[in-house]
Amino acid sequence: MAFRRALKGTAVIGGGAVAAIFGLSQLVEYRKTQARLAHVAAEAELKVPFADELPTRQAQLATLKNTEEFDVLIVGGGATGAGCALDAVTRNLKTALVERNDFSSGTSSRSTKLIHGGVRYLQKAIMKLDYEQYMMVKEALHERANLLEVAPHLSAPLPIMLPVYKWWQLPYYWAGIKMYDLVAGTQCLKSSYVLSKTKALELFPMLKKDKLVGAIVYYDGQHNDARMNLAIALTSARHGAAIANYTEVVNLLKKIDPQTGKETVCGAHCRDVITGQEFDVRAKCVINATGPFTDSLRKMDNQKTENICQPSAGVHIVIPGYYSPDNMGLLDPATSDGRVIFFLPWQKMTIAGTTDTPTNVTAHPIPTEEDINFILTEVRNYLSPDVEVRRGDVLAAWSGIRPLVTDPNSKDTQSICRNHIVNVSESGMVTIAGGKWTTFRSMAEETLDAAVKAHSLSAQPNKTVGLMLEGARDWTPTLYIRLVQDYGLENEVAQHLASTYGGKAFDVAKMARVTGKRWPIVGKRLVSEFPYIEAEVLYAIKEYACTAIDVLARRTRLGFLNVQAADEALPRIVEIMGKQLEWSQERRTAELEAAKKFLYLEMGYRSRSEQLTKTSEINLDYQEVIRYKKRFQKFDHDRKGFITTVDVQQVLESINVQIDENALHDILNEVDLNKNGQVEIDEFLQLMSAVKKGQVSDSRLAILMKRAEESLDMRGPVTVDRSGGGV
């Protein structure tokens, strides 16, 4: 089977050819500029049949069922699949897309959130004089510039610091980063620069000072990956593509080509995962854009076909925002095992990752404790000893499976290039495999070029360069001010809506309920510490959200930012969706259970909760045990050996602290390891030991009892009667 590599010319180049590369790059730049000018004229001709209102999911399914034949059926709703749908529909092809889960439910929502050319790939290209890798970086930098332009509300340039701890590395890294700027050419976001040790610590005060000689800062892009994926899919829907999530391919449809006598793929037999209803979708061409599941669909076409993907797991963790500056990332170019670690501010939190290890393909990848601890160890190596990096500070963790294109003789996945392959099978199915988030658009363009050629489709030229995505056209940097002034939203909420929905933020604001307060006038939050509001749940349904997980993980990003906050918001999300979608009580219960399982396994809640178990060792010295027992006894007046919500409530009332009974129950339940409705002294000592070791942080019970003890000590002894026991 012949494969067509995405970037041709794999020959290794000699040292004298480097200058020739840059001459070629100028030619490539000129041609792309000319193509862009041609696109500006072509964009005016594009029709947007659903500019005002998106068709509902039911309407999309009806179109899939009732259309006699599509030109193109895309299987997979990740970044690449959605990109293919947008490319196809804007070429005036009758386009369909099906995704068996939710849009961006796989790898596309679990990235490092960077839009980048690949600094390390450029390093490999230069060190190995590899023309193919150089052109891959060049293409990615062009796509980086385009993506920042077409979705400015979802993306922005981000400065990234590369700290240097050896003098000889300063000119070495500087030359490499400057080459990165040079390859970007006119699309360089901002010129890189060198910082002294003093200036580096001023900009990144958490950085380890010892042996630091300086730093280099360069620029790449950052985005909200799941929302970007959704914006691409919704844009294709507005242009007329029939797209449906929770619609899986059961088997491929085939027919005999009368001209060649060969069996060809002519569509797919699909099943609506929500209702179980099955139907056929016929198409002249089927495109396989299923990411890590590429080989599954290829084997559905031909059982004897060879695998072309080697999956690799990348784990990321989220820790509090105080671990990094608001607008400065960090790159560790050489970890203890040779991998690269990014340490980036995102959504007012800090992302650290990623790992890169071979894995099995699964729809539900789980972050391991080993990977989480590896990332924490590497983070500790670069941060000041004054900053205690605690295991308990990990607010969320996730694993994403990269669909790497590999040579069967490859020994490890770290050395595999994130290149892509476009393949047309003997039966006519087009497969796009591999690649990276940043280059989804050019990958889609090449895929559609191959599809048009293989199936002789009547298509217009590509029009996706510079094509504004959902919400981008009416967005401005000051749009949030209008949201505050016109609707009475909180400033933080308005900024969040503007950066998430762009010009569509006004549609969300119109759905927001009046709070009944003096301020904010509208916009009730799902949880107090995050700017997500209840109206977003209603709007998510318009964006094809079908489950509570869709809202927690991909319409909002709460599940990726803080699993405990997501768990707290979950019941209200289910209540809102249940009312709007008329769910039965059984469906609501199932949604709660499914979302809790998702948070527990896939978003790291299990790893977080397992830091405190019934078998946890108590690692406290004698004085600490005495101190904590004394604190415990201020709540356990009867010396029962345990405390209940009643005991805690009595003490809190005595110091004029009011806490809702349900909230208090949740606080104790976090520490109640044997789930008997009470916290024993051993459980409390296990908690304080875990806090001491950094395994647990922000324990509400530990903080509450400490503050209550301090208040009681200031006021003197308090009797049970005074605390409300005899009233």
Side-chain angles (χ1 to χ4, degrees):
M1 184 181 294
F3 291 102
R4 181 161 58 87
R5 276 207 170 271
L7 295 171
K8 298 178 181 178
T10 56
V12 175
I13 58 175
V18 174
I21 289 177
F22 293 109
L24 176 61
S25 73
Q26 296 301 318
L27 178 60
V28 171
E29 193 69 45
Y30 170 76
R31 287 177 176 172
K32 286 179 177 176
T33 301
Q34 293 299 106
R36 177 65 197 277
L37 292 173
H39 163 74
V40 171
E43 185 179 10
E45 301 173 7
L46 283 177
K47 296 179 181 178
V48 188
F50 300 106
D52 297 327
E53 188 77 21
L54 280 167
T56 63
R57 180 175 180 272
Q58 289 70 28
Q60 296 281 36
L61 286 169
T63 302
L64 289 173
K65 296 172 187 176
N66 299 328
T67 300
E68 183 177 347
E69 185 181 49
F70 289 95
D71 291 318
V72 174
L73 168 63
I74 296 129
V75 183
T80 305
C84 287
L86 183 58
D87 188 292
V89 75
T90 52
R91 294 193 193 207
N92 205 30
L93 292 172
K94 193 177 292 184
T95 304
L97 179 147
V98 293
E99 160 61 47
R100 73 173 180 181
N101 203 294
D102 186 28
F103 304 116
S104 198
S105 59
T107 307
S108 296
S109 63
R110 304 175 191 227
S111 73
T112 310
K113 322 303 180 194
L114 286 177
I115 310 170
H116 63 128
V119 173
R120 56 180 170 153
Y121 303 141
L122 182 61
Q123 180 189 27
K124 289 180 182 179
I126 295 172
M127 298 299 290
K128 297 179 181 180
L129 298 175
D130 189 333
Y131 178 76
E132 181 186 7
Q133 289 235 30
Y134 166 80
M135 289 305 296
M136 186 190 76
V137 174
K138 179 74 178 175
E139 177 188 47
L141 289 171
H142 166 73
E143 294 301 324
R144 178 189 71 177
N146 181 69
L147 198 50
L148 287 167
E149 179 185 348
V150 300
H153 58 304
L154 292 170
S155 60
L158 176 71
I160 300 175
M161 180 182 292
L162 197 161
V164 180
Y165 289 90
K166 295 178 181 178
W167 281 107
W168 69 266
Q169 289 179 334
L170 201 59
Y172 172 76
Y173 285 135
W174 179 84
I177 294 298
K178 278 298 174 186
M179 185 70 74
Y180 194 58
D181 291 348
L182 183 61
V183 174
T186 58
Q187 295 172 328
C188 178
L189 301 179
K190 193 174 180 181
S191 183
S192 58
Y193 54 92
V194 177
L195 292 173
S196 66
K197 175 179 179 178
T198 302
K199 192 65 177 176
L201 291 171
E202 181 182 321
L203 292 175
F204 209 120
M206 309 83 174
L207 207 56
K208 184 173 71 175
K209 303 175 185 177
D210 188 35
K211 297 182 181 180
L212 182 70
V213 298
I216 300 166
V217 175
Y218 74 98
Y219 286 78
D220 255 327
Q222 188 180 51
H223 69 152
N224 186 337
D225 53 1
R227 292 292 317 182
M228 184 73 80
N229 191 158
L230 185 64
I232 300 164
L234 295 180
T235 306
S236 72
R238 289 199 184 275
H239 282 83
I243 66 172
N245 53 352
Y246 294 99
T247 305
E248 68 176 346
V249 171
V250 178
N251 57 265
L252 295 173
L253 303 177
K254 292 189 176 182
K255 66 179 181 180
I256 301 297
D257 188 326
Q259 295 181 345
T260 63
K262 291 183 178 180
E263 195 176 47
T264 60
V265 174
C266 62
H269 182 66
C270 299
R271 184 175 74 92
D272 181 352
V273 176
I274 305 295
T275 64
Q277 186 178 8
E278 297 188 7
F279 54 92
D280 289 341
V281 180
R282 298 193 174 275
K284 297 172 184 174
C285 172
V286 173
I287 293 176
N288 175 9
T290 53
F293 299 94
T294 292
D295 290 323
S296 298
L297 198 65
R298 294 178 74 245
K299 289 182 184 298
M300 196 181 287
D301 176 27
N302 179 3
Q303 280 291 334
K304 296 180 181 180
T305 192
E306 295 180 2
N307 289 348
I308 60 171
C309 280
Q310 181 172 327
S312 169
V315 171
H316 295 80
I317 63 173
V318 171
I319 51 183
Y322 54 69
Y323 274 100
S324 65
D326 291 341
N327 193 38
M328 179 69 74
L330 185 73
L331 167 64
D332 177 356
T335 62
S336 56
D337 67 350
R339 291 183 281 196
V340 172
I341 288 285
F342 285 99
F343 193 65
L344 308 167
W346 185 71
Q347 302 282 310
K348 298 189 177 180
M349 295 293 177
T350 301
I351 288 181
T354 179
T355 58
D356 195 353
T357 50
T359 188
N360 295 320
V361 175
T362 172
H364 307 287
I366 299 171
T368 66
E369 189 63 25
E370 181 183 358
D371 283 329
I372 292 171
N373 284 321
F374 166 78
I375 296 171
L376 288 173
T377 299
E378 296 303 326
V379 168
R380 289 187 189 103
N381 292 338
Y382 268 82
L383 295 189
S384 167
D386 297 338
V387 180
E388 184 184 0
V389 181
R390 304 177 298 181
R391 174 61 182 83
D393 282 337
V394 177
L395 304 174
W398 68 84
S399 175
I401 300 178
R402 303 184 190 93
L404 307 183
V405 181
T406 182
D407 184 327
N409 298 319
S410 177
K411 294 180 180 179
D412 62 90
T413 59
Q414 282 94 324
S415 63
I416 295 173
C417 175
R418 265 63 168 175
N419 207 344
H420 62 275
I421 285 176
V422 175
N423 163 248
V424 181
S425 71
E426 291 182 2
S427 62
M429 186 172 75
V430 180
T431 293
I432 169 66
K436 50 193 289 190
W437 223 122
T438 307
T439 56
F440 83 90
R441 191 213 62 81
S442 58
M443 290 162 57
E445 180 180 356
E446 184 177 342
T447 304
L448 264 296
D449 285 345
V452 168
K453 181 178 179 181
H455 294 274
S456 303
L457 301 176
S458 177
Q460 296 177 2
N462 170 269
K463 295 184 177 70
T464 55
V465 176
L467 180 64
M468 304 301 276
L469 298 182
E470 177 85 350
R473 190 170 299 281
D474 299 321
W475 177 85
T476 66
T478 58
L479 181 145
Y480 75 94
I481 297 175
R482 288 175 54 200
L483 291 170
V484 174
Q485 293 176 337
D486 294 354
Y487 294 93
L489 288 161
E490 290 178 80
N491 186 62
E492 184 186 12
V493 170
Q495 288 182 332
H496 152 67
L497 294 181
S499 63
T500 301
Y501 304 94
K504 301 296 180 183
F506 293 102
D507 295 339
V508 183
K510 290 173 185 176
M511 302 173 78
R513 290 173 53 194
V514 175
T515 63
K517 301 177 182 178
R518 183 186 63 81
W519 191 262
I521 298 171
V522 301
K524 186 176 180 182
R525 295 192 183 210
L526 288 167
V527 284
S528 59
E529 66 266 44
F530 289 91
Y532 302 112
I533 61 174
E534 292 182 352
E536 292 181 78
V537 182
L538 295 171
Y539 193 76
I541 296 170
K542 290 179 175 290
E543 295 180 321
Y544 305 127
C546 298
T547 70
I549 297 173
D550 298 343
V551 176
L552 279 176
R554 294 172 286 274
R555 303 309 184 277
T556 74
R557 306 311 308 275
L558 193 53
F560 280 79
L561 295 171
N562 189 315
V563 287
Q564 284 187 302
D567 187 56
E568 183 182 327
L570 178 58
R572 181 58 180 152
I573 291 172
V574 171
E575 182 182 353
I576 295 170
M577 294 187 77
K579 183 178 180 181
Q580 187 71 16
L581 297 174
E582 299 180 346
W583 286 345
S584 66
Q585 187 56 50
E586 290 76 14
R587 173 67 188 274
R588 296 184 190 211
T589 301
E591 285 291 329
L592 281 169
E593 291 176 354
K596 284 182 178 291
K597 183 179 179 181
F598 169 78
L599 294 173
Y600 187 73
L601 295 176
E602 296 183 52
M603 290 293 109
Y605 209 160
R606 181 180 69 175
S607 296
R608 182 179 174 88
S609 62
E610 285 179 351
Q611 298 308 304
L612 185 64
T613 66
K614 286 183 278 189
T615 58
S616 297
E617 293 184 6
I618 298 176
N619 185 22
L620 300 170
D621 60 36
Y622 177 75
Q623 292 298 327
E624 288 171 331
V625 171
I626 295 298
R627 183 167 80 249
Y628 293 137
K629 280 187 175 181
K630 181 181 176 182
R631 180 178 300 171
F632 188 84
Q633 288 167 359
K634 289 184 181 293
F635 292 79
D636 180 21
H637 296 287
D638 300 330
R639 302 299 189 266
K640 306 183 296 295
F642 63 85
I643 58 174
T644 65
T645 54
V646 174
D647 297 317
V648 178
Q649 191 77 48
Q650 288 176 347
V651 174
L652 294 179
E653 287 177 357
S654 74
I655 58 174
N656 298 319
V657 174
Q658 300 293 326
I659 292 184
D660 178 72
E661 185 178 346
N662 291 330
L664 194 58
H665 175 78
D666 290 341
I667 290 172
L668 264 68
N669 192 53
E670 292 173 2
V671 187
D672 179 13
L673 302 178
N674 53 18
K675 304 304 177 189
N676 62 355
Q678 56 197 33
V679 174
E680 282 87 9
I681 180 64
D682 286 347
E683 290 173 327
F684 179 67
L685 293 177
Q686 285 176 316
L687 168 65
M688 300 316 297
S689 177
V691 170
K692 176 185 175 181
K693 290 185 287 186
Q695 293 175 321
V696 172
S697 65
D698 301 326
S699 167
R700 294 186 287 178
L701 183 64
I703 294 171
L704 192 65
M705 292 179 71
K706 180 181 179 182
R707 291 189 61 183
E709 180 187 45
E710 292 169 349
S711 298
L712 291 171
D713 288 344
M714 290 176 62
R715 295 174 54 179
V718 179
T719 67
V720 175
D721 288 344
R722 262 190 67 195
S723 68
V727 177

